Amino acid sequence: MKRLAVFLILLLLVVGFLGWAISQDAGYVLISYDRFRYESSFWIFVGLVAALWLIAVLVHWTLGVLHASGALVNPWSRRHHARRIAKASRSGLRELAEGQWSQALGHLRTAAEHDRQPLVHYLGAARAASELGEYEQSDELLRKAREREPEAGLAVGLTQAQLQIARGQYAEARASLDALHNEHPRHPQVLILLQQLHVQLQDWPALCRLLPELRKHRVLPPARLNDLEVLAWTAALEQAGQAQLVPSDEARQGLEQRWQTVPGSLRNEPAIVRAYAEGLSRLGAQDKAEEVLHAAIKRQFDNRLVERYGRVEGRDPARQLANAEGWLKAQPDNAELLLALGRLSLRNALWGKARDYLEASLAIEHRADTCAELARLLAQLGDNERSNRLFQEGLVLLDQSGAGTLPVLSR
């Protein structure tokens, strides 16, 4: 109310002043240009200017109202267009998460083609197209994403590699990841995808070469990385030590070279030592395998190594048996060691000692491979009834464990 009163007072003062000024002198205005001539009193000219100004303000206000209401009148207006794009984006992203690939592809393509920041829409549309088996369309969408947002090459490349792995296009995925690795050697996601690809391809040497980078850049949790290192080097040694039709010096040299690349911190890992010893055995280097296993067991007693030691044929079976019997003092109730001693006794033709060791092992742990070894020995000694019973027990144990076939007996 106070503001309104002040405004009215000011308005009356202005009107009164103008009335007084007009009564004092009407004034005169003359505008002449070429043949144009305008003349009037000063106050009429002022009124004309004020009227033109009011008309301009009215026109500006009217155009603003029409622009603001244009979305209601014109369905193709800018504001309505923006709402359509936002709706397509929301629908497409939701459908992508729900696995509705066809609908997601249509909505995300629409959003990508009209949005100023289309990257996420192109990447989502490429994934949807890939899931539909439209690989060419998927690659084309990724190409458009690179063109529209050149600075997002890493994001596009990672998406492309992920889709190629999912499609089983491993050669293409390797090429994509190698290029990304050259450009971004420290990027965690690039390293993780490379690791996953090497595991998928069972390219263990490549994975072993990548392991130092994974550790250096702390891409994986330490415990998981430790497990991955053991897995990779074990598999790499197994791969290098695969049995050939005729074991050759070249194959053994390849296995030795692979072993030399194993990091020193892993050379005492039982799984890795066992894989190396098994490779040596397959390639005809039984003596070397026995030496490797014996040295490893002396450093750290491990059942996996002991089991393999009982199978390997060393240069001196009697000395090998004596070595194993030396471990029995510290491990008198170890079923794995007793089984290995039974096998080594069989190799030394010590039938009674072999039977005692195998019976002792079976009493501690009822296992299919122990049943098989003892059954074979009993059959050789003429106890066919007990031998057959043990074979049956072994088959039952195998059926329960899902192994399917009897274990390989000692050689």
Side-chain angles (χ1 to χ4, degrees):
M1 291 296 294
K2 290 182 178 180
R3 290 184 179 181
L4 179 59
V6 172
F7 174 76
L8 290 175
I9 292 171
L10 290 174
L11 180 62
L12 289 174
L13 291 173
V14 171
V15 171
F17 173 77
L18 288 175
W20 175 80
I22 291 172
S23 66
Q24 292 296 314
D25 188 356
Y28 179 75
V29 173
L30 171 64
I31 300 175
S32 177
Y33 179 77
D34 196 11
R35 296 182 180 181
F36 174 80
R37 182 181 179 84
Y38 170 80
E39 59 182 312
S40 70
S41 68
F42 172 75
W43 298 110
I44 291 177
F45 177 75
V46 170
L48 180 61
V49 171
L52 291 174
W53 178 78
L54 288 173
I55 291 172
V57 170
L58 181 61
V59 170
H60 183 268
W61 178 82
T62 302
L63 291 175
V65 171
L66 291 175
H67 178 75
S69 61
L72 299 175
V73 178
N74 180 10
W76 300 104
S77 68
R78 182 180 299 175
R79 182 172 295 184
H80 185 69
H81 181 72
R83 285 204 300 266
R84 287 177 58 247
I85 298 305
K87 182 179 179 181
S89 174
R90 290 193 302 271
S91 299
L93 292 174
R94 186 190 69 251
E95 290 158 353
L96 185 69
E98 294 172 350
Q100 301 182 47
W101 311 122
S102 182
Q103 298 91 323
L105 176 59
H107 284 134
L108 291 175
R109 284 197 64 169
T110 299
E113 290 169 358
H114 299 92
D115 199 337
R116 292 181 179 179
Q117 296 178 332
L119 178 63
V120 68
H121 302 125
Y122 272 126
L123 298 184
R127 180 189 169 197
S130 184
E131 293 287 350
L132 290 169
E134 301 288 343
Y135 299 153
E136 291 185 4
Q137 183 177 181
S138 177
D139 293 339
E140 176 65 16
L141 289 166
L142 292 174
R143 185 188 63 78
K144 289 183 177 180
R146 282 194 180 91
E147 290 179 353
R148 291 282 300 276
E149 296 197 30
E151 69 281 1
L154 176 60
V156 176
L158 286 171
T159 300
Q160 185 173 46
Q162 289 171 337
L163 295 179
Q164 288 168 338
I165 292 173
R167 300 171 192 168
Q169 298 175 338
Y170 299 125
E172 293 84 350
R174 170 168 279 181
S176 299
L177 288 172
D178 285 343
L180 289 175
H181 190 216
N182 290 333
E183 296 178 10
H184 309 276
R186 300 180 179 180
H187 196 277
Q189 191 60 23
V190 174
L191 295 173
I192 287 175
L193 285 177
L194 272 172
Q195 172 253 311
Q196 293 174 351
L197 180 62
H198 293 330
V199 172
Q200 185 73 34
L201 294 176
Q202 297 186 0
D203 189 348
W204 308 117
L207 179 56
C208 290
R209 291 192 296 270
L210 185 67
L211 286 170
E213 292 187 62
L214 298 178
R215 183 170 291 279
K216 178 180 178 181
H217 301 302
R218 300 179 181 178
V219 173
L220 298 174
R224 184 178 171 191
L225 183 59
N226 292 338
D227 292 342
L228 184 63
E229 284 180 328
V230 173
L231 168 67
W233 284 109
T234 300
L237 288 167
E238 289 176 348
Q239 196 174 68
Q242 289 297 320
Q244 302 178 1
L245 293 178
V246 180
S248 62
D249 291 339
E250 183 179 352
R252 284 192 289 271
Q253 289 174 3
L255 176 61
E256 289 291 349
Q257 290 172 357
R258 183 69 51 80
W259 172 253
Q260 294 302 320
T261 61
V262 176
S265 61
L266 295 174
R267 289 196 181 186
N268 294 330
E269 175 61 40
I272 295 177
V273 175
R274 179 187 171 96
Y276 176 46
E278 286 181 343
L280 290 171
S281 297
R282 291 193 195 100
L283 298 177
Q286 295 269 0
D287 296 346
K288 180 68 178 292
E290 188 270 332
E291 294 173 3
V292 168
L293 289 168
H294 180 241
I297 295 171
K298 285 181 66 177
R299 288 192 302 269
Q300 177 184 355
F301 188 90
D302 185 89
N303 283 344
R304 290 167 291 181
L305 301 180
V306 170
E307 190 276 338
R308 187 63 209 173
Y309 192 77
R311 292 178 178 275
V312 71
E313 296 181 7
R315 182 181 293 105
D316 186 346
R319 182 182 61 82
Q320 192 174 345
L321 175 60
N323 291 336
E325 287 179 329
W327 303 325
L328 191 60
K329 297 175 183 178
Q331 302 283 336
D333 299 320
N334 188 303
E336 194 71 73
L337 177 56
L338 290 168
L339 173 59
L341 286 166
R343 286 169 169 162
L344 292 172
S345 298
L346 287 172
R347 192 166 299 124
N348 283 275
L350 301 173
W351 315 125
K353 180 178 282 193
R355 180 171 184 171
D356 291 341
Y357 282 135
L358 293 173
E359 293 278 13
S361 177
L362 196 62
I364 296 171
E365 185 178 356
H366 216 66
R367 291 171 42 176
D369 48 356
T370 311
C371 288
E373 290 285 8
L374 184 55
R376 186 175 73 119
L377 174 59
L378 292 175
Q380 184 175 334
L381 297 176
D383 191 348
N384 293 324
E385 182 179 352
R386 175 107 190 274
S387 174
N388 291 335
R389 188 164 65 250
L390 283 170
F391 270 123
Q392 292 300 320
E393 290 177 11
L395 290 172
V396 171
L397 292 171
L398 284 174
D399 184 60
Q400 292 174 350
S401 66
T405 58
L406 280 171
V408 177
L409 301 180
S410 61
R411 299 172 60 183

